């Protein structure tokens, strides 16, 4: 009995010390490095930006190539990942090539892509191509800093869409609670 208590206390103390050590280790940051899982499946090559300084309302086109590194077809969708010092990060998507939300990436093939967006809020952004591959996850291109100046462009809020989505979410939650209450609690 005494040995098991000693073992439990020793294990708990070890976990506490290791977690404290990990908390004080310096954070690693690697700009432009894709997630390891992503880079083994699809590589984002030749990422190019149409400009690095814009006025609000002007368009930015990000283009490049998606190179499949595997011998099976994949499905993916493109977006932009942007971060800035403010909480806005506002871009309006105008066009995507390949068109549509989800597209196929043939095995071993290279797919050209382009994303065109309009800047809606001034800030200094760091923008990356973001490729999400089905059942694998997201990966980022190298990225570039883009400076947007000018007055913010305010877009009307589509309240009808918000109400519609709330109704769908509420119906889904209602069905979940009604049919599986033991799993929700």
């Amino acid at each position: 009995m005494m040995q098991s208590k000693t073992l439990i206390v020793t294990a708990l103390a070890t976990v506490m010390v290791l977690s404290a050590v990990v908390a004080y280790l310096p954070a690693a940051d690697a700009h432009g490095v894709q997630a390891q899982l992503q880079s083994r499946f699809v590589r984002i090559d030749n990422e190019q930006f149409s400009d690095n300084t814009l006025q609000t309302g002007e368009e930015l086109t990000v283009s490049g190539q998606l190179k499949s590194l595997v011998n099976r077809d994949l499905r993916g969708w493109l977006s932009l990942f942007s971060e800035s010092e403010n909480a806005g990060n506002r871009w309006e998507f105008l066009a995507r090539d390949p068109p549509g939300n989800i597209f196929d990436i043939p095995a071993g093939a290279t797919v050209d892509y382009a994303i065109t967006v309009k800047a809606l809020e001034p800030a200094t952004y760091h923008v990356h191509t973001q490729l999400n591959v089905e059942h694998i996850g997201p990966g980022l291109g190298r990225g570039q800093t883009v400076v947007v100046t000018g007055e913010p462009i305010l877009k009307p809020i589509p309240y009808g869409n918000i109400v519609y989505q709330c109704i769908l979410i509420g119906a889904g939650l209602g069905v979940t609670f009604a049919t599986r209450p033991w799993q929700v609690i």
Side-chain angles (χ1 to χ4, degrees):
M1 183 72 168
M2 186 64 165
Q3 289 178 348
S4 64
K5 286 183 181 181
T6 304
L7 181 63
I8 291 172
V9 169
T10 304
L12 184 60
T14 303
V15 168
M16 290 174 57
V17 168
L18 287 177
S19 63
V21 168
V22 169
Y24 286 105
L25 287 176
D29 188 20
H31 171 73
V33 177
Q34 293 181 338
Q36 176 151 351
L37 207 81
Q38 180 73 24
S39 62
R40 293 189 321 204
F41 293 93
V42 178
R43 186 176 60 233
I44 300 172
D45 286 335
N46 302 324
E47 184 180 42
Q48 298 177 4
F49 293 76
S50 62
D51 205 347
N52 61 355
T53 56
L54 302 169
Q55 289 285 324
T56 52
E58 292 182 339
E59 295 179 7
L60 171 71
T61 299
V62 182
S63 60
Q65 297 174 322
L66 308 172
K67 173 66 178 150
S68 173
L69 304 175
V70 294
N71 60 1
R72 68 180 177 101
D73 293 347
L74 300 170
R75 290 169 43 97
W77 55 97
L78 282 170
S79 188
L80 289 182
F81 174 82
S82 71
E83 55 190 351
S84 72
E85 71 277 0
N86 67 359
N89 296 324
R90 295 189 338 116
W91 301 91
E92 179 181 8
F93 282 81
L94 302 175
R96 296 174 200 248
D97 184 30
N101 291 332
I102 299 175
F103 60 93
D104 293 323
I105 304 170
T110 299
V111 176
D112 293 330
Y113 76 89
I115 302 170
T116 303
V117 294
K118 180 171 32 171
L120 299 177
E121 189 170 307
T124 300
Y125 296 97
H126 197 75
V127 182
H128 300 264
T129 299
Q130 180 175 355
L131 172 66
N132 296 290
V133 179
E134 182 180 39
H135 303 299
I136 296 171
L140 299 176
R142 293 183 53 93
Q144 178 174 310
T145 300
V146 177
V147 178
V148 178
T149 57
E151 293 297 315
I153 297 174
L154 302 176
K155 303 291 268 183
I157 297 173
Y159 289 109
N161 289 349
I162 294 171
V163 170
Y164 175 73
Q165 291 174 2
C166 289
I167 290 170
L168 288 179
I169 292 169
L173 287 173
V175 168
T176 301
F177 277 109
T179 60
R180 294 177 293 215
W182 61 91
Q183 291 180 350
V184 178
I185 297 174

